């Protein structure tokens, strides 16, 4: 099979999958695919539109091909948002296109607020998808608390299109805060700069972002005006370095840059995303060199390294975390896993997609 | 509630199975005497009981693995058990099953405040996890009301929630990794102290899988810094609808209370008679708790008050001190006990979209009259997780069946309005046969295929979650070991296993 398929209904999607003889490359906006596209292109953009939006219940049900920007604009109209702050990787990956909400979920794409409000998988409360058997499957629903049956919702989030084509998604939303402010800590090296972030994260002051970018440590606070002012004061008193505070748009811009990995957009080389213990981050960055952005107080380290540093990186990690190559030769959306985890992943792959139709390139990370 | 016919060949081999288990466990860790296994015959859904074949109480992951290897080879079903506080029959055994009790695995392996995690063995109780870190100003957020007794393993099994989950999420949102033993004895680590899986999100599907995918022996849990303070308010309303509208307005306004609890009139009256908390005489009341410093609490409560007063409450009561705060929570916390004073009760936990709250409460009231059974509603209103308590008399023949029929109708109603059968207690045996109301056959098939991958022989807690008729083919296809047998077909007129 070749060419591009663009179903406009879930039923049509199921029919295409059921009739497919060869591999399918699932494509949302095509803005952040990691790894190659093999097979006939299956576009999700025809599966678009809001199914249900209940602001008073903080609930959104939306078709998977809906542009992310459309979703964000709709929510902003009610002063609400997706808590997990999906990033825009177009710059850093050098792509153009329109991100879809399905692609965001398929990648479990989540920004700096993860330390406070969780990832996409935590905001996702229901999915509908078409499995490789051409069956329309649902899991979860549109309510906030649901333990009825296995949580296939979580399994689908971050599966990078290897198990099924998402057709519909339900989210738990968050109200936009009244105000936001960011403390900027300057004059600290990575070691103390990251220690300050860990301290902020370990304080009772409910921080919603802790990153280190371009030699500055930044701490975000969001909420009611009085509360933010109080917490800024408390943290300012205990955090080291030359501390200044910005608010509103100036604060928002800092976090857009952290979210979209702005400092890593320029430099050439392999882009790695590492998940590790915050206390290990400074040592890891020092060992590897390169351009670095620390998020989650060091729990997530993004770095641009010269080509071919994969083994050196694994050695520096020493099993104390995992690394994904987002950009570069051999990029794959999954990290190295143990033999047992791979055996289970491969088992799930063949349970959901027995003919191995979906995203063959990405699926290689499961075996 | 039906349970499958136990496998007679396994029961006949009890002594040789005990002998095999004794080869890998110390004598005090294998229990075969019915006088002693009796303690494991039920969980908190105590209307259903069944003596297990044997009970094992391992102390290490290696012992867990050794036991599972034997049971796998012998084709013996295994029921993992934490503290046995499941309200859904999740840890109730069958006669041909070995109960794997984790209660002796309670160690804290590591606490790491800078990286905000604790690594524990899963037999440890929920409350004692918080107790292990509170001196440093930290806590473990999911706090089921059973937290004094229930174990982390059971919390992971059921993906349990707590009073504060509106803000902090449920177990799955606070679980970083597990060490788990598969039914064939394979020991595996999924996730770890860092928070990105890097693989398929296996952890997400293990959490809430009701002991059917593996035995979890260790867990890495997120710990959080304790807020500076917390305070509740109580608001009484003349109508359920108005209370519901008030909840919606608070949520929309972007104030994020840590808890919004709802009680209806029958429940208020029962708790007043029992706990004398001094609640107002009204149709519905809300208890709303906020957190932070003194100033932050005041700021949030001012917002909440402004919203609540727009809804003409019968009463708006602010706690002025610790004692008043305690009294506001007293009635809510004694609600189950109070209802228990009146009668036996069954506790449901369907979840509904919060917008359907008034309609669902009205329908429950009507059905209560039709079935002739009283019902009180306590409710996590912020997230729509209902807890209707249906009153019945266990000594009256037929009353339990009537109560179950009523419960089933309420749960169907929850699904009808866009909700689900269970928000936090799990399916177990209790809601197993209602799964077809919420899920199409292909949905259940997809879930069962996950179990096929983790436990191809369907030996781990097999008679739970899926309707017996739906899982029959898989459960009967036991192909390994001397326990293997074409179990008699027609097990669906299955007998009730009750002591
Ligand atoms: C390993 C990795 C980590 C990432 N981490 C983050 C992060 O932490 N934060 C962040 O904000 N962003 C992250 N991203 C970016 C994320 O990929 C994008 O936000 C999102 O994928 C963009 O949507 P799109 O429509 O352009 O997707 P596309 O580029 O079209 O697709 C992305 C992937 O999802 C699959 N896919 C798309 N639509 C569907 C569907 N309906 N059903 C099934 N599969 C589908 C595609 O096959 C492809 O593999 C990460 C990406 C990868 C690969
Ligand atoms: C008075 C009372 C109040 C309650 N309040 C709440 C509440 O507020 N919120 C809430 O969510 N629940 C509540 N519950 C229900 C119950 O306490 C929870 O479901 C709890 O998590 C069960 O823990 P347990 O250790 O008792 O598990 P058990 O009952 O022993 O087991 C529960 C399930 O988990 C499995 N399991 C146990 N340990 C493991 C393991 N190590 N590995 C794999 N699977 C395992 C079992 O097989 C079973 O399916 C309440 C119960 C009572 C009696």
């Amino acid at each position: 099979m070749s060419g591009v398929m663009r179903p406009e209904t879930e039923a049509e999607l199921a029919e295409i999958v059921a009739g497919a003889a060869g591999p399918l490359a699932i494509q949302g906006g095509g803005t952040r695919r990691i790894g190659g596209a093999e097979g006939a292109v299956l576009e999700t953009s025809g599966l678009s539109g809001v199914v249900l939006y209940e602001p008073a219940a903080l609930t959104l049900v939306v078709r998977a091909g809906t542009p992310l920007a459309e979703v964000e604009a709709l929510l902003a109209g009610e002063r609400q948002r997706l808590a997990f702050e999906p990033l825009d990787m177009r710059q850093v990956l050098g792509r153009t296109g329109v991100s879809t909400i399905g692609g965001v979920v398929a990648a479990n794409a989540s920004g700096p607020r993860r330390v406070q409000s969780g990832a996409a998988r935590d905001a996702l409360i229901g999915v509908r998808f078409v499995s490789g058997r051409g069956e329309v499957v649902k899991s979860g629903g549109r309510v906030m608390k649901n333990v009825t049956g296995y949580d296939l919702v979580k399994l689908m989030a971050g599966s990078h299109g290897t198990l099924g084509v998402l057709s519909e998604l339900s989210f738990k939303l968050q109200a936009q805060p009244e105000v936001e402010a960011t403390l900027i800590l300057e004059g600290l090296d990575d070691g103390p700069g990251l220690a300050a972030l860990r301290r902020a994260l370990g304080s009772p002051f409910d921080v919603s972002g802790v990153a280190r970018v371009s030699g500055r440590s930044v701490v975000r606070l969001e909420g009611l005006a009085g509360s933010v002012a109080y917490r800024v004061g408390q943290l300012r008193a205990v955090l080291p370095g030359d501390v200044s505070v910005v608010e509103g748009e100036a604060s928002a811009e800092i976090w857009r840059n952290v979210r979209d990995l702005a400092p890593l957009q320029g430099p050439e080389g392999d882009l790695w995303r590492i998940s590790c213990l915050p206390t290990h981050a400074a040592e890891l960055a020092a060992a590897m060199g390169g351009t670095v952005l620390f998020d989650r107080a060091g729990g997530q380290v993004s770095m641009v390294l010269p080509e071919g540093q994969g083994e050196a990186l694994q050695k520096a990690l020493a099993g104390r975390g995992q690394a994904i190559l987002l950009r570069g030769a051999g990029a794959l959306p999954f990290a190295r896993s143990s033999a047992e985890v791979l055996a289970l992943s491969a088992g799930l792959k063949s349970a959901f997609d027995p003919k191995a139709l979906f995203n063959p390139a990405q699926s290689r990370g499961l075996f | 509630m039906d349970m499958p016919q136990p496998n007679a060949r396994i029961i006949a081999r009890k002594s040789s199975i005990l002998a095999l288990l004794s080869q890998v466990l110390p004598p005090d860790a294998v229990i075969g005497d019915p006088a002693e296994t009796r303690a494991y015959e039920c969980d908190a859904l105590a209307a259903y009981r069944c003596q297990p074949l044997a009970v094992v109480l391992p102390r290490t992951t290696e012992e867990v693995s050794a036991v599972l290897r034997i049971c796998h080879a012998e084709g013996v079903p295994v029921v993992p058990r934490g503290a046995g506080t499941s309200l859904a029959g999740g840890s109730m055994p069958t006669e041909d099953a070995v109960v794997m009790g984790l209660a002796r695995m309670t160690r804290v392996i590591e606490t790491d405040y800078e990286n905000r995690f604790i690594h524990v063995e899963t037999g440890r109780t929920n409350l004692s996890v918080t107790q292990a870190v509170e001196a440093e100003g930290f806590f473990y957020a999911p706090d089921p009301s059973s937290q004094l007794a229930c174990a982390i393993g059971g919390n992971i099994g059921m993906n349990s929630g707590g009073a504060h989950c509106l803000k902090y999420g449920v177990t799955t949102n606070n679980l970083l990794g597990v060490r788990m033993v598969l039914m064939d004895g394979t020991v595996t680590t999924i996730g770890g102290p860092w928070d990105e899986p890097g693989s398929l999100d296996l952890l997400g599907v293990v959490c809430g899988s009701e002991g059917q995918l593996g035995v979890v022996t260790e867990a890495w849990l997120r710990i959080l810094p304790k807020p500076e303070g917390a305070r509740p308010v109580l608001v009484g309303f003349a109508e359920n609808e108005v209370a519901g509208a008030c909840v919606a307005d608070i949520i929309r306004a972007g104030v994020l209370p840590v808890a919004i609890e709802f009680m209806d009139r029958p429940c208020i009256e029962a708790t007043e008679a029992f706990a004398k908390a001094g609640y107002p005489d009204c149709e519905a009341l809300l208890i709303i708790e906020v957190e932070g410093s003194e100033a932050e609490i005041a700021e949030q409560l001012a917002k909440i008050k402004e919203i609540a007063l727009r809804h003409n409450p019968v009463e708006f009561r602010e706690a002025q001190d610790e004692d008043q705060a305690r009294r506001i929570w007293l009635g809510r916390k004694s609600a189950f006990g109070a209802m228990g004073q009146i009668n036996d009760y069954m506790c449901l936990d369907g979840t509904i979209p919060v917008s359907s709250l008034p309609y669902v409460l009205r329908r429950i009231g009507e059905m209560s009259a039709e079935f002739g059974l009283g019902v009180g509603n306590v409710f996590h209103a912020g997230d729509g997780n209902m807890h209707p308590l249906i009153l019945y008399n266990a000594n009256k023949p037929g009353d339990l069946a009537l109560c179950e029929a009523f419960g089933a109708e309420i749960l169907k109603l929850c699904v009808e309005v866009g909700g689900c059968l269970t928000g936090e207690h799990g399916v177990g045996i209790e809601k197993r046969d209602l799964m077809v109301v919420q899920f199409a056959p292909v949905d259940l098939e997809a879930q069962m295929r996950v179990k096929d991958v983790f436990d191809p022989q369907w030996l781990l807690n097999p008679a739970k979650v899926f309707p017996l008729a739906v899982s029959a083919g898989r459960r009967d296809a036991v192909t390994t070991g001397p326990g293997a047998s074409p179990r008699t077909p027609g097990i669906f007129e299955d007998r009730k296993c009750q002591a």
Side-chain angles (χ1 to χ4, degrees), chain B residues 11-33:
Chain B
I11 295 173
R13 300 189 66 248
K14 174 170 174 174
S15 54
S16 60
I17 292 166
L18 282 171
L20 285 169
L21 294 172
S22 300
Q23 285 173 11
V24 298
L25 292 176
D28 70 341
V30 187
I31 307 173
D33 179 354

mmCIF file of all heavy atoms in Angstrom, chain B residues 11-33:
data_model
loop_
_atom_site.group_PDB
_atom_site.id
_atom_site.type_symbol
_atom_site.label_atom_id
_atom_site.label_comp_id
_atom_site.label_asym_id
_atom_site.label_seq_id
_atom_site.Cartn_x
_atom_site.Cartn_y
_atom_site.Cartn_z
ATOM 1 N N ILE B 11 -7.267 -29.392 44.886
ATOM 2 C CA ILE B 11 -7.637 -29.596 46.285
ATOM 3 C C ILE B 11 -7.176 -30.976 46.759
ATOM 4 O O ILE B 11 -6.654 -31.133 47.869
ATOM 5 C CB ILE B 11 -9.159 -29.407 46.463
ATOM 6 C CG1 ILE B 11 -9.515 -27.940 46.148
ATOM 7 C CG2 ILE B 11 -9.606 -29.780 47.877
ATOM 8 C CD1 ILE B 11 -10.976 -27.630 46.125
ATOM 9 N N ALA B 12 -7.295 -31.953 45.888
ATOM 10 C CA ALA B 12 -6.874 -33.312 46.250
ATOM 11 C C ALA B 12 -5.365 -33.387 46.482
ATOM 12 O O ALA B 12 -4.882 -34.245 47.216
ATOM 13 C CB ALA B 12 -7.288 -34.288 45.144
ATOM 14 N N ARG B 13 -4.632 -32.475 45.867
ATOM 15 C CA ARG B 13 -3.167 -32.512 45.999
ATOM 16 C C ARG B 13 -2.659 -31.549 47.065
ATOM 17 O O ARG B 13 -1.467 -31.223 47.119
ATOM 18 C CB ARG B 13 -2.514 -32.174 44.648
ATOM 19 C CG ARG B 13 -2.888 -33.150 43.541
ATOM 20 C CD ARG B 13 -2.071 -32.915 42.288
ATOM 21 N NE ARG B 13 -0.661 -33.211 42.496
ATOM 22 C CZ ARG B 13 0.291 -32.308 42.503
ATOM 23 N NH1 ARG B 13 0.004 -31.037 42.334
ATOM 24 N NH2 ARG B 13 1.547 -32.671 42.698
ATOM 25 N N LYS B 14 -3.539 -31.102 47.922
ATOM 26 C CA LYS B 14 -3.165 -30.088 48.909
ATOM 27 C C LYS B 14 -1.874 -30.434 49.660
ATOM 28 O O LYS B 14 -0.961 -29.613 49.754
ATOM 29 C CB LYS B 14 -4.311 -29.879 49.900
ATOM 30 C CG LYS B 14 -3.945 -28.936 51.042
ATOM 31 C CD LYS B 14 -5.135 -28.545 51.891
ATOM 32 C CE LYS B 14 -4.663 -27.724 53.078
ATOM 33 N NZ LYS B 14 -5.778 -27.197 53.874
ATOM 34 N N SER B 15 -1.773 -31.672 50.176
ATOM 35 C CA SER B 15 -0.611 -31.959 51.030
ATOM 36 C C SER B 15 0.687 -31.953 50.241
ATOM 37 O O SER B 15 1.719 -31.486 50.731
ATOM 38 C CB SER B 15 -0.797 -33.267 51.798
ATOM 39 O OG SER B 15 -1.093 -34.288 50.888
ATOM 40 N N SER B 16 0.653 -32.418 49.001
ATOM 41 C CA SER B 16 1.911 -32.387 48.255
ATOM 42 C C SER B 16 2.272 -30.956 47.850
ATOM 43 O O SER B 16 3.448 -30.604 47.769
ATOM 44 C CB SER B 16 1.864 -33.331 47.046
ATOM 45 O OG SER B 16 0.827 -32.953 46.183
ATOM 46 N N ILE B 17 1.257 -30.127 47.603
ATOM 47 C CA ILE B 17 1.548 -28.721 47.288
ATOM 48 C C ILE B 17 2.155 -28.029 48.517
ATOM 49 O O ILE B 17 3.146 -27.299 48.421
ATOM 50 C CB ILE B 17 0.274 -27.996 46.798
ATOM 51 C CG1 ILE B 17 -0.137 -28.548 45.428
ATOM 52 C CG2 ILE B 17 0.489 -26.482 46.721
ATOM 53 C CD1 ILE B 17 -1.530 -28.192 44.972
ATOM 54 N N LEU B 18 1.590 -28.312 49.684
ATOM 55 C CA LEU B 18 2.148 -27.745 50.920
ATOM 56 C C LEU B 18 3.595 -28.187 51.110
ATOM 57 O O LEU B 18 4.458 -27.405 51.514
ATOM 58 C CB LEU B 18 1.312 -28.178 52.130
ATOM 59 C CG LEU B 18 -0.008 -27.431 52.342
ATOM 60 C CD1 LEU B 18 -0.827 -28.103 53.442
ATOM 61 C CD2 LEU B 18 0.243 -25.967 52.683
ATOM 62 N N ALA B 19 3.856 -29.446 50.790
ATOM 63 C CA ALA B 19 5.218 -29.959 50.945
ATOM 64 C C ALA B 19 6.184 -29.226 50.025
ATOM 65 O O ALA B 19 7.298 -28.855 50.425
ATOM 66 C CB ALA B 19 5.239 -31.466 50.653
ATOM 67 N N LEU B 20 5.743 -28.974 48.786
ATOM 68 C CA LEU B 20 6.596 -28.243 47.846
ATOM 69 C C LEU B 20 6.873 -26.825 48.354
ATOM 70 O O LEU B 20 8.004 -26.336 48.290
ATOM 71 C CB LEU B 20 5.910 -28.163 46.477
ATOM 72 C CG LEU B 20 5.911 -29.438 45.638
ATOM 73 C CD1 LEU B 20 4.979 -29.290 44.434
ATOM 74 C CD2 LEU B 20 7.333 -29.763 45.182
ATOM 75 N N LEU B 21 5.824 -26.184 48.864
ATOM 76 C CA LEU B 21 5.986 -24.813 49.357
ATOM 77 C C LEU B 21 6.939 -24.787 50.551
ATOM 78 O O LEU B 21 7.740 -23.867 50.707
ATOM 79 C CB LEU B 21 4.628 -24.211 49.739
ATOM 80 C CG LEU B 21 3.649 -23.995 48.577
ATOM 81 C CD1 LEU B 21 2.265 -23.588 49.085
ATOM 82 C CD2 LEU B 21 4.195 -22.948 47.602
ATOM 83 N N SER B 22 6.855 -25.831 51.373
ATOM 84 C CA SER B 22 7.706 -25.893 52.563
ATOM 85 C C SER B 22 9.178 -26.061 52.212
ATOM 86 O O SER B 22 10.053 -25.775 53.030
ATOM 87 C CB SER B 22 7.261 -27.037 53.474
ATOM 88 O OG SER B 22 5.932 -26.809 53.872
ATOM 89 N N GLN B 23 9.431 -26.520 51.002
ATOM 90 C CA GLN B 23 10.833 -26.644 50.595
ATOM 91 C C GLN B 23 11.486 -25.283 50.353
ATOM 92 O O GLN B 23 12.703 -25.156 50.399
ATOM 93 C CB GLN B 23 10.937 -27.484 49.309
ATOM 94 C CG GLN B 23 10.728 -28.964 49.562
ATOM 95 C CD GLN B 23 10.658 -29.757 48.265
ATOM 96 O OE1 GLN B 23 10.965 -29.248 47.194
ATOM 97 N NE2 GLN B 23 10.254 -31.008 48.367
ATOM 98 N N VAL B 24 10.675 -24.280 50.044
ATOM 99 C CA VAL B 24 11.274 -22.975 49.706
ATOM 100 C C VAL B 24 10.982 -21.895 50.751
ATOM 101 O O VAL B 24 11.463 -20.776 50.631
ATOM 102 C CB VAL B 24 10.810 -22.478 48.315
ATOM 103 C CG1 VAL B 24 11.253 -23.454 47.227
ATOM 104 C CG2 VAL B 24 9.302 -22.278 48.266
ATOM 105 N N LEU B 25 10.180 -22.234 51.746
ATOM 106 C CA LEU B 25 9.830 -21.244 52.770
ATOM 107 C C LEU B 25 10.091 -21.820 54.155
ATOM 108 O O LEU B 25 9.983 -23.036 54.348
ATOM 109 C CB LEU B 25 8.336 -20.890 52.679
ATOM 110 C CG LEU B 25 7.837 -20.113 51.458
ATOM 111 C CD1 LEU B 25 6.330 -19.958 51.534
ATOM 112 C CD2 LEU B 25 8.508 -18.752 51.369
ATOM 113 N N PRO B 26 10.413 -20.972 55.128
ATOM 114 C CA PRO B 26 10.536 -21.461 56.501
ATOM 115 C C PRO B 26 9.170 -21.937 57.013
ATOM 116 O O PRO B 26 8.133 -21.519 56.478
ATOM 117 C CB PRO B 26 11.019 -20.245 57.275
ATOM 118 C CG PRO B 26 10.804 -19.071 56.398
ATOM 119 C CD PRO B 26 10.707 -19.546 54.998
ATOM 120 N N PRO B 27 9.171 -22.795 58.029
ATOM 121 C CA PRO B 27 7.916 -23.413 58.489
ATOM 122 C C PRO B 27 6.843 -22.396 58.860
ATOM 123 O O PRO B 27 5.660 -22.630 58.592
ATOM 124 C CB PRO B 27 8.353 -24.203 59.732
ATOM 125 C CG PRO B 27 9.817 -24.366 59.618
ATOM 126 C CD PRO B 27 10.344 -23.259 58.774
ATOM 127 N N ASP B 28 7.251 -21.273 59.456
ATOM 128 C CA ASP B 28 6.217 -20.326 59.893
ATOM 129 C C ASP B 28 5.631 -19.522 58.745
ATOM 130 O O ASP B 28 4.783 -18.658 58.943
ATOM 131 C CB ASP B 28 6.788 -19.378 60.953
ATOM 132 C CG ASP B 28 7.797 -18.405 60.361
ATOM 133 O OD1 ASP B 28 8.317 -18.673 59.250
ATOM 134 O OD2 ASP B 28 8.050 -17.367 60.987
ATOM 135 N N ALA B 29 6.083 -19.787 57.524
ATOM 136 C CA ALA B 29 5.602 -18.989 56.394
ATOM 137 C C ALA B 29 4.628 -19.751 55.496
ATOM 138 O O ALA B 29 4.151 -19.237 54.501
ATOM 139 C CB ALA B 29 6.788 -18.484 55.571
ATOM 140 N N VAL B 30 4.347 -20.998 55.875
ATOM 141 C CA VAL B 30 3.378 -21.793 55.108
ATOM 142 C C VAL B 30 2.261 -22.232 56.046
ATOM 143 O O VAL B 30 2.514 -22.861 57.070
ATOM 144 C CB VAL B 30 4.030 -23.078 54.521
ATOM 145 C CG1 VAL B 30 3.043 -23.786 53.589
ATOM 146 C CG2 VAL B 30 5.304 -22.742 53.788
ATOM 147 N N ILE B 31 1.043 -21.883 55.714
ATOM 148 C CA ILE B 31 -0.088 -22.229 56.573
ATOM 149 C C ILE B 31 -1.080 -23.075 55.788
ATOM 150 O O ILE B 31 -1.571 -22.660 54.737
ATOM 151 C CB ILE B 31 -0.806 -20.963 57.086
ATOM 152 C CG1 ILE B 31 0.193 -20.005 57.737
ATOM 153 C CG2 ILE B 31 -1.900 -21.338 58.076
ATOM 154 C CD1 ILE B 31 -0.421 -18.670 58.104
ATOM 155 N N GLY B 32 -1.365 -24.255 56.317
ATOM 156 C CA GLY B 32 -2.310 -25.124 55.637
ATOM 157 C C GLY B 32 -3.490 -25.509 56.517
ATOM 158 O O GLY B 32 -4.522 -25.978 56.036
ATOM 159 N N ASP B 33 -3.338 -25.282 57.818
ATOM 160 C CA ASP B 33 -4.375 -25.659 58.775
ATOM 161 C C ASP B 33 -5.597 -24.747 58.617
ATOM 162 O O ASP B 33 -5.486 -23.535 58.785
ATOM 163 C CB ASP B 33 -3.778 -25.515 60.186
ATOM 164 C CG ASP B 33 -4.804 -25.855 61.260
ATOM 165 O OD1 ASP B 33 -5.989 -26.091 60.908
ATOM 166 O OD2 ASP B 33 -4.418 -25.862 62.442
#
